Amino acid sequence: MPTPPPTGPLVTRDTLAAQLREVGVRSGETLLAHSSLGSLGWVCGGPVAVVQALLDALGPEGTLVVPTQTGDLSDPAVWSNPPVPEEWWEPIRVTMPPYDPAVTPTRGVGVIPETVRTWPGALRSAHPQTSFAALGPRAAEIVGGHALDCRLGERSPLARLEALHARVLLLGAGYDTCTSFHLAEYRIPSPLVKVGRPGPTGWEVVTEVSITSDRFDELGHDFERDRPVVRGKAGAADVRLFPVADAVAYAQRWLSIHRPRAEEI
């Protein structure tokens, strides 16, 4: 059978940059982007063209930030997608390579963040599981000093993005990907958990705030209903644009009411 034609629309660097500007991305701003390449349509140049378009829209004074998480650097005892046999757990812990910002690939955040991670001049934060990468003049300010025992809290790039009045861009991505909501989890009563991971001198376990994206879709629905969220299209993708600070403040109130988690889990 003949191969079916690709699903459009045709998206290019220039058309995407123009649509991002039309939606409201401003030259010189700082933008935290959550993205889905497949949602855009047929992109000429793939993720490289998307990153180029984002940088074009932001201009030379703007800064692009993306999540570059590495959730696979974790305890195999809690893996479920897929799980591994229990007899493998200890050998995995002993042999798992530690996090290296320069070479450790992303996992589960899509091909666009992985492209940013390897972009010339990109800087990446130090946390071995919830790092961020950034391109632009404020990159070092945002990703520097990411505390190793603070995944997405006050000593993470999220708090710096909030202070810098950055905005979130959901480019074909849903609210379940909105890392800014996690910062709110550090500002309300939340359980603590033991987190295992490979360290520079061997396996280590740290105590961290428990984070989960459970019900973030509902939270996002209510946030969009109650707060001014810019909505538009880029290619075939739905686009949403809003301040990090607005998302965090709304999530603090919403999570306290609708998803209290003060009890230990």
Side-chain angles (χ1 to χ4, degrees):
M1 292 181 61
T3 303
T7 301
L10 170 63
V11 177
T12 70
R13 170 182 177 174
D14 290 344
T15 62
L16 181 56
Q19 289 173 326
L20 290 169
R21 294 187 191 100
E22 184 177 345
V23 167
V25 174
R26 298 189 294 258
S27 178
E29 75 170 314
T30 298
L31 201 64
L32 171 59
H34 299 281
S35 55
S36 166
L37 179 66
S39 70
L40 287 164
W42 195 89
V43 182
C44 179
V48 170
V50 175
V51 175
Q52 289 172 330
L54 285 163
L55 295 175
D56 289 345
L58 289 169
E61 299 304 314
T63 300
L64 174 64
V65 185
V66 296
T68 50
Q69 297 170 6
T70 48
D72 50 327
L73 300 187
S74 58
D75 193 339
V78 301
W79 291 354
S80 60
N81 190 29
V84 295
E86 185 172 352
E87 61 268 25
W88 292 9
W89 294 354
E90 192 55 31
I92 288 173
R93 293 182 186 122
V94 170
T95 60
M96 185 182 291
Y99 173 69
D100 182 339
V103 301
T104 302
T106 60
R107 179 180 174 88
V109 291
V111 69
I112 295 170
E114 177 66 8
T115 303
V116 173
R117 179 189 75 80
T118 60
W119 204 267
L123 301 179
R124 191 180 188 188
S125 69
H127 197 282
Q129 295 171 326
T130 56
S131 65
F132 291 79
L135 284 164
R138 307 200 89 151
E141 180 182 0
I142 292 164
V143 303
H146 192 169
L148 301 182
D149 61 348
C150 184
R151 289 184 286 190
L152 297 169
E154 305 298 343
R155 293 172 294 146
S156 79
L158 286 177
R160 295 190 183 92
L161 288 164
E162 179 188 41
L164 290 170
H165 308 291
R167 292 196 293 172
V168 176
L169 173 71
L170 299 181
L171 181 59
Y175 281 104
D176 60 315
T177 70
C178 182
T179 50
S180 298
F181 289 158
H182 287 297
L183 180 54
E185 294 183 294
Y186 285 75
R187 297 179 178 173
I188 62 176
S190 297
L192 301 178
V193 292
K194 299 291 186 181
V195 179
R197 67 196 188 195
T201 60
W203 191 255
E204 60 186 23
V205 178
V206 298
T207 300
E208 253 284 12
V209 170
S210 173
I211 56 175
T212 173
S213 57
D214 181 45
R215 299 188 70 183
F216 275 12
D217 280 337
E218 295 174 60
L219 166 54
H221 174 273
D222 290 353
F223 171 65
E224 190 170 298
R225 178 195 63 203
D226 297 338
R227 300 294 299 163
V229 173
V230 176
R231 298 182 60 182
K233 300 286 284 190
D238 291 322
V239 174
R240 290 171 171 84
L241 191 62
F242 50 88
V244 170
D246 279 6
V248 176
Y250 190 91
Q252 281 182 248
R253 296 189 297 270
W254 193 96
L255 292 170
S256 296
I257 296 168
H258 299 284
R259 205 198 68 182
R261 300 177 62 236
E263 71 281 358
E264 292 293 323
I265 59 173

